[in-house]
Amino acid sequence: MKVGFVGLGLMGSGMAGALLRAGHEVTVWNRSPARAEPLAAQGATVAPDLAALAAGEEIVFTSLPDDAALEEVVLGPHGLVANLARGAIHVGTSTIGTAMARRLEEAHAQAGQVYVSAPVFGRPDVAAKGELAVVAAGPGAALERLAPAFAAIGRMTQVMGEDPQQANLAKLAGNFLIASVIESLGEALALVAKGGVDQQAYLDLLTSTLFSAPVYRTYGQLIVDRAYEPAGFALPLGAKDVRLALAAGEELKVPLPIGSLLRDRLMTMIATEGEAKDWSSLGELAKIQSGQ
Amino acid sequence: MKVGFVGLGLMGSGMAGALLRAGHEVTVWNRSPARAEPLAAQGATVAPDLAALAAGEEIVFTSLPDDAALEEVVLGPHGLVANLARGAIHVGTSTIGTAMARRLEEAHAQAGQVYVSAPVFGRPDVAAKGELAVVAAGPGAALERLAPAFAAIGRMTQVMGEDPQQANLAKLAGNFLIASVIESLGEALALVAKGGVDQQAYLDLLTSTLFSAPVYRTYGQLIVDRAYEPAGFALPLGAKDVRLALAAGEELKVPLPIGSLLRDRLMTMIATEGEAKDWSSLGELAKIQSGQ
Amino acid sequence: MKVGFVGLGLMGSGMAGALLRAGHEVTVWNRSPARAEPLAAQGATVAPDLAALAAGEEIVFTSLPDDAALEEVVLGPHGLVANLARGAIHVGTSTIGTAMARRLEEAHAQAGQVYVSAPVFGRPDVAAKGELAVVAAGPGAALERLAPAFAAIGRMTQVMGEDPQQANLAKLAGNFLIASVIESLGEALALVAKGGVDQQAYLDLLTSTLFSAPVYRTYGQLIVDRAYEPAGFALPLGAKDVRLALAAGEELKVPLPIGSLLRDRLMTMIATEGEAKDWSSLGELAKIQSGQ
Amino acid sequence: MKVGFVGLGLMGSGMAGALLRAGHEVTVWNRSPARAEPLAAQGATVAPDLAALAAGEEIVFTSLPDDAALEEVVLGPHGLVANLARGAIHVGTSTIGTAMARRLEEAHAQAGQVYVSAPVFGRPDVAAKGELAVVAAGPGAALERLAPAFAAIGRMTQVMGEDPQQANLAKLAGNFLIASVIESLGEALALVAKGGVDQQAYLDLLTSTLFSAPVYRTYGQLIVDRAYEPAGFALPLGAKDVRLALAAGEELKVPLPIGSLLRDRLMTMIATEGEAKDWSSLGELAKIQSGQ
């Protein structure tokens, strides 16, 4: 199938590459053009500008870093809403808040277009292999049409509902759960370590029994090794996602006590340790607070 | 090898049976004698009383429900300390606090005996198959001597240190982590459910990606199904273990913010919903508090 | 002195009346004109519309219920920024967030006008008597010029700094402290009550010793009497102010653990008990959660 | 009336002195005899030993630092239970847990004696002036008999019930409320200070409005002045009282979320800053965690 792709950061480039490798016809655009070159070499067409890409595609994926970028690309004068044809589909893969997702959905709807949220689980190396987990929500017909594209970028697609926000809610709840694992592991490791137990042995015990999941292996090892820099996902990004989960909870009137605790503790890390470290360094705070 | 086994509840019977099947010579004793019969049928010797068992064995395992039972069996006039020979080993498999473990260690040491803590991860069905995870701590020589027995009851043994308390600390931290999973899953499910997402679909997403561990599958399914009765491990038991983890943190001066939150929320469940439900019902509280 | 006053709710009417009684020349405007009549009877001039009021005054007070009203009155086409003369002063007395205060300050500055924040402590009856506590921040010269007006509406004025936001920060921190008193009293009363202690006797003990302040007397009595309706300040308003305090903390990178706890507990009350009750009903939650 | 007084620390000496000044006949005993001398100079009789004091008095006050001292003085072989006559009254003024109070009550009851709990609010200088607030609970007849003694040591007596534990519960809840004030003030001051507001001006605002109580004046000033040493009431003592309040809540099944937060934060202070500082230094933690 024929798709446009806007936003060629690490995640976006990985997804666009996977689409190409699966035989799809991909037109790309990125604010700084240099990032389009490797994809052009793999067979992508490079659009001269955003408006041109939007005007020429019926399906456009975006992978953008934050709300400001998304606002410009989607709602700006040269953006998707202004230039996509009626009936065209915009697939947003960024981790955004539910309020922003609603705004995008409404803007597209007013222009006779369709918005689908499809945030993904997986880091850049997983994106490059086309093995992401795609969490999708939107009108059933649109999701059906998108199935081959999702199959190219992910090893699985899980549909959360017909309302695009539901996919964002699922993704935010997922990131909240990762942060919960980091914090609870940090507390458990601080406890056993101060009692003289070897942390690696303890982590091995956990991950070879009830806790044999990637989330414990990956984040547990980062905490045991104190390998917080360079950051794969920096503290402020983690804090932002927890804040978005709390904001979604606020809209829906769902208190999230662990979410609140994560908010304060991520903020403590940022205020005292700076913004450079990986969010797994939250797992250090219990040690700091216990004088270790 | 030749071992004594005291305490033939579901867990104890499973372990004693596994020891028998592995060819060990096992003498058992239980306060209510009826529970010894199935093991006698499998080849166990039944001791006439606790003192007799203690006097005749060099290695005695205990699997007891609470501190009171342990105190009587170990420190009482007919108990292990009073009747074991010098050099004999007591292996405690119960989930107890670090303060209690220290008391046991000291009492045995004064009598020239050795105390080893070896709490286990796994439910009764796993114990019956001899596939527990054994978390052991104590003097190295004693642990070496116990290796064949541990191999019989568990599919793995992880040594936490030379100080028996270290195994109890590891076990308590493990139960704290399970409770953290229940609570954080409860919050995440309350959030997505109130947003209209199907809980089963969401749990499937989690357990087929980053969270593909038994702890998420087991407890997540119990929460999605609201299958809280009959309890596999009732709320008060969960509250007790969290309290013991907090007490260990208090001794070591390790604050456990999630632990404190779990304490209050388990207590809320007990005060408002009673003591009969499984501790996975903690995962219901976020729904209750969000009006679902 | 000559002042304009926009927003004649309970608080605004009280303040405008106090200004009149102190001999100031007051021109008023309110969206629904009926509320201006009692003040006209006391000698106020009623402006035909907002723009006319703004065009004719050098000092304009606003007392408005929320950000939306403030936005229209200040930033709208017929509003203060568009119609005040250069050099005129806008005094905002509403409890708003620091981000909104910054927006107002910037908009006025671009129009060559001055913005002063002067939120107040005190309920409507206190406002009617001209005995509020005025918390003011803004340029020194403006504050000096406003002194007679502040003296009319309040029994004291405390200056928080030259930056208008500082007054809003102080007010939000104050409301956060009130909510902390409600919650901590609620927990203490739940504890002693479940132990059979008479709550009134306990409250009397507190307020005749270390805790002899209006905040304990007022809110303590409401909790002891369970007098939550009609609301003087409803739960959603309390939740809004706590949220604004948390948002200010987020901007400044100041974690507020009690603030987070208040957020979740106010939300729990709203989700389970509805929006009608006074925010003092937060003091009921500890009793509810302890099964009382 | 005739009373014995055991435990002549700062608080005990103050109370014994006040009893003497009110004309009561006081016999004293203290483990280290030197502390009895100033009271002897004021007219007190010094008992040769604890047993002698107990044997000779019908009413004995104790003011002791901790459970261990209390246990020896009350339950030891030379102590009150063993030596007081039937019908004699022991008045415990220490801040102890409800479980300990129950133990004392039961031990005295078995010996045909009466136990009354009468913890006090007030620091040593207040005790010296006989102006404490006495929080009393016990059998009505005993309280009536004690009225003149309470009138000597306090400016007021508030009765919490017939069960001695109720007075301890009230006292623990009171100390919990003080700690809540310290923590919430610490958060509020961290917030306004990081926003550039002068802390003293802010504290003055609070204490001249809704928060005009000694608890805000005293602890607020200590936090603003960072006057944490020498400690009037050191961090570990504050942590102990919060722990006792949580333990009482645990017995009664009353969750105390702010109590749990205080527990973790006091422990953080102790683990990172040591044990020497006053518990008001808890009000520093929010500043530390926000990088101030």
Side-chain angles (χ1 to χ4, degrees), chain D residues 26-207:
Chain D
V26 184
T27 303
V28 300
W29 183 80
N30 192 64
R31 182 174 319 194
S32 87
R35 297 204 59 95
E37 286 166 23
L39 289 159
Q42 291 169 58
T45 305
V46 180
D49 56 39
L50 174 58
L53 181 142
E57 302 292 333
E58 284 187 3
I59 294 172
V60 178
F61 281 72
T62 54
S63 173
L64 295 162
D66 54 35
D67 279 16
L70 202 59
E71 200 148 329
E72 192 189 321
V73 163
V74 181
L75 306 171
H78 309 291
L80 300 186
V81 167
N83 293 287
L84 281 176
R86 291 183 70 83
I89 303 173
H90 168 207
V91 187
T93 67
S94 314
T95 298
I96 57 171
T98 50
M100 185 63 172
R102 190 167 44 239
R103 256 184 84 195
L104 298 181
E105 183 192 15
E106 290 170 358
H108 280 299
Q110 282 183 350
Q113 302 151 0
V114 175
Y115 174 68
V116 167
S117 271
V120 293
F121 280 105
R123 317 249 298 190
D125 56 321
V126 179
K129 286 185 273 185
E131 295 183 357
L132 295 166
V134 180
V135 185
L143 294 180
E144 246 173 74
R145 207 168 144 200
L146 292 167
F150 289 159
I153 64 173
R155 60 174 180 76
M156 63 171 287
T157 302
Q158 191 86 15
V159 174
M160 291 293 116
E162 301 231 326
D163 176 351
Q165 295 172 68
Q166 293 174 317
N168 302 101
L169 199 58
K171 168 73 179 176
L172 293 173
N175 280 12
F176 154 78
L177 283 171
I178 297 174
S180 301
V181 167
I182 296 171
E183 170 63 24
S184 56
L185 261 180
E187 295 185 19
L189 288 168
L191 180 62
V192 301
K194 204 163 178 189
V197 173
D198 179 73
Q199 289 184 63
Q200 186 67 55
Y202 186 62
L203 180 61
D204 293 346
L205 167 67
L206 294 175
T207 55

Side-chain angles (χ1 to χ4, degrees), chain B residues 29 40 63 111 123 138 144 147 160 259:
Chain B
W29 183 80
S63 172
R123 319 249 299 190
E144 243 173 79
M160 291 292 118

Side-chain angles (χ1 to χ4, degrees), chain C residues 175 179 233-244 266 270 279:
Chain C
N175 280 11
F233 189 70
L235 281 165
L237 296 173
K240 189 200 74 173
D241 284 2
V242 167
R243 189 169 57 238
L244 290 174
L266 285 162
I270 292 170
W279 72 330

